[in-house]
């Protein structure tokens, strides 16, 4: 079993995923960013952090592993414990790498240092959005070039246009320009340059987007058929302040043949343990009546709407 795969799956849907006796992975949503030095635009993303102090089992990871592997909750807990022990053993001598999550190492103070991966964005609303680089706009600088005049020979003087005609032509041009000064002319040329640059940028973005989704030799598609039932109806055996007591109750019910599970921690910070869970309300009510007669009159039905 690759526990990192299940942790990665849950991080897309939950803000905190706890690995019992190891630590909790916590995500925080970060807004889009612009780097003015590299001209890079980054989409919103989930920043992944690790807290080694969050270790109490909330049942989320174990329930997901049990459902995915088609095993019992107790078997899932044992599998998680086994893999966590292998992680801790590896960390004593080298760096621990978890695919699509990050790397761990022990520093001189014997504390776990976590470095998340930067290539994966767990924010589903940013799916398909990548980092975008926009080249800086180069502004043209106009400089008036003055050519030094050299003295003409007598022959060249005869061929040159008389000076008063040059001045008259210059005056005619200035008169035609009217109120449009040289500064205004520069502004117009600059706007045209910016518009042309933006147009070229749009063409570049379109080309990149098309190249991203048009693949000449695509890999064969992999289809995963997962039939996941939603268990909304839970027959509660008890709610416990101490997680150890919830584990003991779970073991007792499993030994009696119930398909028991730990539902997690409720809003009163109590760990709930269920005899069984159902997708059908009538089946749950019939089983509850049977448990009242044979096992416990304190059992009650919890309905969770998703």
């Amino acid at each position: 079993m690759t526990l990192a795969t299940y942790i990665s799956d849950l991080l897309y849907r939950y803000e905190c995923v706890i690995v019992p006796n190891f630590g909790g992975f916590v995500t925080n949503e970060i807004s889009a960013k612009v780097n003015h030095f590299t001209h890079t635009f980054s989409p919103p993303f989930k920043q992944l952090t690790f807290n080694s102090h969050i270790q109490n089992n909330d049942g989320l990871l174990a329930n997901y592993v049990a459902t995915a592997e088609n095993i019992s909750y107790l078997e899932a807990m044992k599998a998680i414990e086994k893999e966590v022990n292998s992680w801790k053993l590896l960390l004593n001598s080298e760096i621990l790498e978890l695919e699509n999550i990050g790397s761990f190492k022990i520093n001189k103070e014997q504390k776990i240092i976590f470095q998340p991966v930067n290539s994966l964005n767990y924010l589903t609303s940013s799916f398909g959005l990548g980092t975008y680089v926009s080249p800086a706009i180069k502004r043209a600088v106009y400089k008036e070039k003055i050519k030094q005049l050299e003295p003409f020979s007598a022959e060249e003087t005869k061929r040159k246009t008389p000076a008063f005609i040059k001045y008259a032509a210059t005056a005619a041009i200035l008169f035609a320009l009217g109120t449009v000064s040289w500064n205004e002319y520069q502004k117009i040329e600059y706007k045209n340059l910016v518009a042309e640059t933006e147009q070229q940028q749009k063409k570049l973005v379109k080309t990149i987007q098309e190249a991203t989704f048009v693949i000449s030799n695509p890999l064969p598609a992999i289809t995963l058929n997962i039939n996941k039932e939603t268990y909304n109806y839970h027959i509660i055996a008890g709610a416990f302040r101490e997680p150890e007591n919830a584990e003991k109750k779970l073991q007792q019910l499993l030994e009696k043949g119930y398909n028991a599970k730990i539902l997690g921690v409720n809003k009163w910070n109590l760990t709930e343990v269920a005899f069984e869970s159902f997708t059908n309300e009538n089946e749950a009510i019939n089983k509850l009546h049977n448990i009242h007669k044979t096992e416990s009159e304190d059992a009650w039905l919890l309905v969770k709407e998703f």
Side-chain angles (χ1 to χ4, degrees):
M1 180 188 70
T2 304
L3 189 60
T5 302
Y6 299 124
I7 297 173
S8 180
D9 291 345
L10 291 171
L11 286 173
Y12 282 104
R13 291 178 284 170
Y14 298 93
E15 294 181 355
C16 180
V17 178
I18 299 175
V19 181
N21 299 320
F22 186 72
F25 295 94
V26 182
T27 61
N28 297 295
E29 186 171 341
I30 304 298
S31 302
K33 291 184 177 180
V34 178
N35 190 321
H36 297 285
F37 296 100
T38 61
H39 309 287
T40 303
F41 298 81
S42 301
F45 68 99
K46 272 188 176 182
Q47 184 182 48
L48 182 60
T49 59
F50 177 76
N51 191 331
S52 60
H53 299 290
I54 306 176
Q55 297 191 4
N56 288 336
N57 179 28
D58 62 352
L60 175 63
L61 180 59
N63 274 318
Y64 184 70
V65 171
T67 302
E69 296 283 340
N70 196 22
I71 58 179
S72 67
Y73 180 87
L74 186 60
E75 289 174 327
M77 284 296 300
K78 290 181 179 179
I80 293 173
E81 181 182 4
K82 181 179 179 181
E83 188 148 352
V84 167
N85 289 337
S86 68
W87 290 354
K88 292 181 177 179
L89 184 63
L90 182 64
L91 274 173
N92 291 330
S93 57
E94 54 186 290
I95 296 176
L96 170 64
E97 298 279 353
L98 297 184
E99 186 178 5
N100 293 330
I101 297 177
S103 60
F104 300 81
K105 66 178 181 180
I106 302 295
N107 64 6
K108 296 180 180 179
E109 289 76 23
Q110 297 301 307
K111 293 183 179 180
I112 297 178
I113 305 300
F114 173 64
Q115 179 63 42
V117 296
N118 297 321
S119 58
L120 190 63
N121 190 350
Y122 285 107
L123 186 63
T124 55
S125 60
S126 294
F127 179 77
L129 299 178
T131 301
Y132 170 72
V133 178
S134 176
I137 298 176
K138 295 182 179 180
R139 294 174 173 82
V141 178
Y142 293 92
K143 294 183 179 179
E144 184 179 1
K145 295 183 179 179
I146 302 175
K147 185 178 180 180
Q148 184 177 2
L149 298 179
E150 297 179 356
F152 300 105
S153 62
E155 182 70 23
E156 289 176 332
T157 305
K158 293 180 181 179
R159 294 198 300 264
K160 295 297 179 181
T161 305
F164 74 90
I165 297 179
K166 290 184 178 181
Y167 297 144
T170 303
I173 293 173
L174 292 175
F175 181 79
L177 289 175
T179 58
V180 180
S181 65
W182 174 249
N183 289 335
E184 292 296 327
Y185 174 75
Q186 282 187 314
K187 290 180 181 179
I188 293 173
E189 286 297 309
Y190 173 71
K191 290 181 180 179
N192 291 337
L193 179 63
V194 172
E196 182 180 355
T197 304
E198 291 178 349
Q199 191 66 26
Q200 292 177 352
Q201 188 64 35
K202 289 179 181 179
K203 291 181 180 179
L204 176 62
V205 172
K206 183 180 179 182
T207 304
I208 294 174
Q209 291 175 341
E210 290 176 350
T212 303
F213 295 99
V214 179
I215 304 175
S216 57
N217 296 313
L219 295 174
I222 299 176
T223 303
L224 299 177
N225 296 322
I226 301 176
N227 296 324
K228 185 177 180 181
E229 295 181 308
T230 303
Y231 294 89
N232 293 351
Y233 306 95
H234 311 274
I235 301 176
I236 303 300
F240 303 88
R241 179 70 61 185
E242 299 297 331
E244 293 79 7
N245 295 334
E247 295 285 350
K248 291 179 182 178
K249 186 64 176 179
L250 173 67
Q251 185 61 35
Q252 293 173 359
L253 297 178
L254 291 173
E255 291 176 355
K256 291 182 179 181
Y258 290 102
N259 188 19
K261 64 173 65 175
I262 292 179
L263 300 180
V265 180
N266 60 20
K267 62 181 180 180
W268 294 284
N269 203 27
L270 300 176
T271 304
E272 296 176 324
V273 182
F275 281 98
E276 292 186 24
S277 300
F278 299 87
T279 59
N280 183 277
E281 183 179 10
N282 292 332
E283 292 181 6
I285 292 175
N286 291 336
K287 188 65 177 180
L288 177 63
H289 291 324
N290 186 31
I291 291 175
H292 281 165
K293 294 178 183 179
T294 60
E295 186 68 36
S296 172
E297 294 183 355
D298 296 328
W300 54 282
L301 182 64
L302 172 64
V303 179
K304 286 189 175 183
E305 297 293 342
F306 294 95

